């Protein structure tokens, strides 16, 4: 069975600083995808970044980068130059071949002015 | 890009009534739609998977007679909460595989249901 762990229920970061949100996963599938989603108070799920299990390089999307350490089964999200609008819930998720999405419990990020 | 339109955004209903939530895929065909429920300060929990033209697959513990899912066309999937009770109050959100990417899923904007 697949499982996602996010050990940080809440995080604070000063505006313009970088922050790392932790995510570890467990799966027996050799092929899988890892995702990060942002959920603001409005409830919508906003796709941030994707990492495939066979991707050699860490994914980057603008201010978002994914620190993928396959041997450690971790897929931490790094947000650089935090902005006030980054305050939201962040979910790590994974999907294996032929399987459904599994979401982690989420981390609430608060960006301080 | 692919968009899943979900309506209504929020609904308040009386206990015992039924509520229908719609998810429409715009500009693409969604043969599969996933339905999630999210309680406050919790993660998304998969309720069921609907497939166009066939019966939905429900996750363990989800009452199929209470949460009726219909996927009658390639662009529309509906979730009907029947005989709603206050404990059904939650945030419901749908998602479909994004066709223009080899990965990823497009989410609807969610429906906040309050049963009074």
């Amino acid at each position: 069975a697949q499982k996602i762990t996010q050990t940080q229920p809440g995080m604070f970061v000063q505006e313009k600083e970088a922050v790392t949100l932790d995510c570890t996963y467990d799966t027996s599938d050799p092929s899988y995808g890892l995702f990060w989603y942002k959920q603001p108070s409005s409830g919508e799920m906003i796709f941030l970044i994707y990492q495939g299990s066979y991707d050699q390089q860490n994914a980057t999307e603008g201010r978002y980068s994914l620190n993928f350490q396959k041997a450690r089964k971790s897929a931490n999200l790094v947000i650089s130059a935090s902005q006030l609008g980054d305050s939201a819930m962040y979910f790590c998720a994974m999907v294996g071949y032929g399987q459904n999405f599994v979401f982690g419990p989420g981390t609430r990020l608060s960006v301080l002015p | 890009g692919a968009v899943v339109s979900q309506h209504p955004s929020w609904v308040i209903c009386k206990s015992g009534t039924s509520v229908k939530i719609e998810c429409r895929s715009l500009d693409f065909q969604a043969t599969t739609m996933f339905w999630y429920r999210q309680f406050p300060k919790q993660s998304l929990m998969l309720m069921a998977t609907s497939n166009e033209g066939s019966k939905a697959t429900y996750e363990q513990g989800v009452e199929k007679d209470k949460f009726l899912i219909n996927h009658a066309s390639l662009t529309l999937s509906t979730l009907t909460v029947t005989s709603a009770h206050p404990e059904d109050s939650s945030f419901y959100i749908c998602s479909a595989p994004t066709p223009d990417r080899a990965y990823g899923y497009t989410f609807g904007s969610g429906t906040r249901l309050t049963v009074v």
Side-chain angles (χ1 to χ4, degrees), chain B residues 13-19 65-66 80-88 115:
Chain B
C13 71
K14 289 186 176 180
S15 188
T17 61
S18 295
V19 173
D65 293 330
K66 181 168 188 60
T80 301
V81 183
T82 63
S83 187
H85 288 98
E87 57 265 30
D88 298 324
V115 184

Side-chain angles (χ1 to χ4, degrees), chain A residues 83-101:
Chain A
Q83 302 172 356
L84 295 177
D86 294 334
S87 295
M89 281 291 289
Y90 288 80
F91 291 98
C92 180
M94 74 177 298
V95 62
Y97 180 77
Q99 304 206 29
N100 299 319
F101 251 93

Side-chain angles (χ1 to χ4, degrees), chain B residues 1-53:
Chain B
V3 173
V4 172
S5 176
Q6 183 170 349
H7 293 282
S9 299
W10 59 269
V11 58
I12 301 173
C13 71
K14 289 186 176 180
S15 188
T17 61
S18 295
V19 173
K20 179 184 283 189
I21 301 169
E22 293 188 349
C23 278
R24 293 182 183 273
S25 57
L26 307 182
D27 300 327
F28 75 101
Q29 294 180 333
T31 56
T32 300
M33 191 74 74
F34 301 99
W35 287 92
Y36 297 86
R37 181 164 62 179
Q38 184 181 27
F39 290 109
K41 299 185 180 181
Q42 294 188 23
S43 188
L44 280 71
M45 296 300 295
L46 181 66
M47 298 174 65
T49 303
S50 72
N51 296 288
E52 187 270 334

Side-chain angles (χ1 to χ4, degrees), chain A residues 4 36 38 45 49 55 60 65 68-69 86 93:
Chain A
I4 295 282
W36 277 93
K38 171 184 178 182
M45 294 292 283
I49 198 165
D55 292 344
T60 60
S65 61
F68 181 46
Q69 298 187 44
D86 294 334

